[in-house]
């Protein structure tokens, strides 16, 4: 209520967890919806845009489809301001169920054919029973593909997990 005015209450829905984007170095991560871009320092930064264009100055980025030019982002006759990259955060590793193996944040620990653990480069992935492949969350491993209803996608190959290093 506000004065004599009434409106219906809204029902809250559960928030979804942020799934970070792991940068190509495997040691840096950016929030979901950001793009990892190289910084002038050689490390990675986060551009607060999905599928952004990383400018070669190591400081700025532009929206997808734009070009970095003369301090602006251009696409044909259209211009917009460049975005400034922010520093990426270190990857927080996911410790696998054996307690001895770990995968980068945003990955899923999956058993390998060898019996050890591997890393599927997808969050909350489905681990295929072949001990080699994995599929995105909500898909099923079937006949060399990942399927969900009538849609399918290629299987991902797991990579070996790294040993957990105890900090003394």
């Amino acid at each position: 209520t506000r004065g004599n005015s009434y409106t219906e209450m809204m029902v809250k829905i559960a928030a979804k967890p942020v799934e970070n984007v792991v940068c190509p170095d495997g040691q840096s991560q950016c929030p979901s919806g950001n793009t990892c871009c190289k910084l002038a320092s050689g490390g990675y930064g986060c551009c607060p845009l999905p599928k952004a264009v990383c400018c070669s100055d190591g400081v700025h980025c532009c929206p997808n489809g734009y070009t970095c030019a003369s301090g602006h982002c251009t696409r044909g006759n259209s211009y917009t301001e460049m975005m400034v990259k922010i520093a990426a955060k270190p990857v927080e590793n996911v410790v696998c169920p054996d307690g001895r193996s770990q995968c980068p944040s945003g990955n899923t620990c999956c058993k390998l054919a060898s019996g050890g653990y591997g890393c599927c480069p997808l969050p909350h992935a489905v681990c295929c029973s072949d001990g080699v492949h994995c599929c995105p969350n909500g898909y099923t491993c079937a006949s060399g593909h990942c399927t969900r209803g009538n849609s399918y996608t290629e299987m991902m190959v797991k990579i070996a997990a790294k040993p957990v290093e105890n900090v003394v």
Side-chain angles (χ1 to χ4, degrees):
T1 66
R2 182 172 64 181
N4 292 331
S5 205
Y6 295 91
T7 188
E8 294 296 316
M9 289 184 169
M10 302 294 286
V11 176
K12 299 178 212 170
I13 58 172
K16 293 182 181 178
V18 173
E19 294 175 355
N20 291 336
V21 176
V22 177
C23 299
D25 65 358
Q27 298 175 4
S28 307
Q29 62 184 346
C30 295
S32 178
N34 282 230
T35 302
C36 293
C37 287
K38 278 271 196 180
L39 296 172
S41 66
Y44 277 91
C46 306
C47 180
L49 299 165
K51 299 178 185 172
V53 174
C54 302
C55 301
S56 61
D57 67 0
V59 176
H60 297 96
C61 56
C62 291
N64 189 339
Y66 281 76
T67 302
C68 305
S70 304
H72 289 86
C73 302
T74 63
R75 181 170 63 185
N77 292 330
S78 179
Y79 295 87
T80 189
E81 293 298 315
M82 289 181 159
M83 302 289 290
V84 176
K85 303 170 196 169
I86 59 169
K89 294 182 180 178
V91 168
E92 297 167 5
N93 290 335
V94 176
V95 177
C96 299
D98 66 357
R100 297 186 316 258
S101 308
Q102 63 184 346
C103 295
S105 175
N107 281 233
T108 303
C109 294
C110 287
K111 278 270 195 178
L112 296 171
S114 65
Y117 277 91
C119 306
C120 179
L122 299 166
H124 312 292
V126 174
C127 303
C128 301
S129 61
D130 66 0
V132 177
H133 298 98
C134 56
C135 291
N137 188 15
Y139 281 76
T140 303
C141 306
S143 304
H145 288 88
C146 302
T147 62
R148 181 170 63 186
N150 291 333
S151 68
Y152 71 94
T153 187
E154 294 300 314
M155 289 180 158
M156 303 288 291
V157 176
K158 302 171 197 169
I159 59 170
K162 294 181 179 177
V164 171
E165 296 175 10
N166 293 331
V167 179
V168 182

